[in-house]
Amino acid sequence: MKSYIQVEDFDILGGDAKFVKDYLNPYFKDLYKDLTLRCLSTNAIQEKKMDKVTFIEYCNLPGIINDRFFKMFDLEGNGLITEDSFIKNMIKVFISDLDTRMRLTFNM
């Protein structure tokens, strides 16, 4: 007997775009602000960005997966995550089509 996994794809034409705009963006924006308050790095505090330690403590993924996940968010390569990068990548992780999720997993 075969078993199947059913995953619902992101539907830009349906209500998903409204959900992202009205609920996910504000939620991740607030989460980002909360996490930046936890940062202890002077660079992160001055630039109002999230440092690697805070991100890793929040995600709590095993070892090298955490490092690779962080690199996906650190687009500038300076060890800090911008608000825009955080929100866009979290939305990709939580609400995207199956192909995008598979590519994200493969790239990690």
Side-chain angles (χ1 to χ4, degrees):
M1 177 176 204
K2 292 184 180 180
S3 61
Y4 296 96
I5 297 175
Q6 295 181 355
V7 178
E8 185 177 339
D9 274 349
F10 176 72
D11 181 14
I12 193 71
L13 299 175
D16 290 344
K18 182 173 175 28
F19 176 74
V20 169
K21 181 183 169 215
D22 294 345
Y23 297 100
L24 278 185
N25 278 336
Y27 171 74
F28 287 131
K29 190 174 209 153
D30 287 344
L31 177 61
Y32 180 83
K33 286 179 184 175
D34 179 54
L35 291 172
T36 56
L37 293 174
R38 299 180 194 183
C39 292
L40 298 176
S41 162
T42 5
N43 289 342
I45 294 169
Q46 289 172 350
E47 296 184 36
K48 296 184 181 178
K49 296 181 180 177
M50 186 186 319
D51 61 3
K52 185 175 183 177
V53 173
T54 304
F55 181 79
I56 286 176
E57 286 177 356
Y58 171 71
C59 293
N60 199 23
L61 295 169
I64 197 165
I65 294 173
N66 230 342
D67 287 331
R68 291 181 179 176
F69 194 52
F70 175 78
K71 285 185 181 184
M72 286 174 37
F73 285 73
D74 180 18
L75 300 178
E76 297 173 359
N78 60 358
L80 301 173
I81 299 173
T82 63
E83 180 180 39
D84 188 49
S85 171
F86 180 79
I87 292 170
K88 285 181 182 178
N89 281 300
M90 290 303 265
I91 288 172
K92 278 184 192 175
V93 169
F94 286 101
I95 184 168
S96 61
D97 61 18
L98 183 60
D99 289 337
T100 303
R101 289 179 191 166
M102 288 174 30
R103 264 188 251 111
L104 285 172
T105 304
F106 179 78
N107 288 337
M108 281 178 40

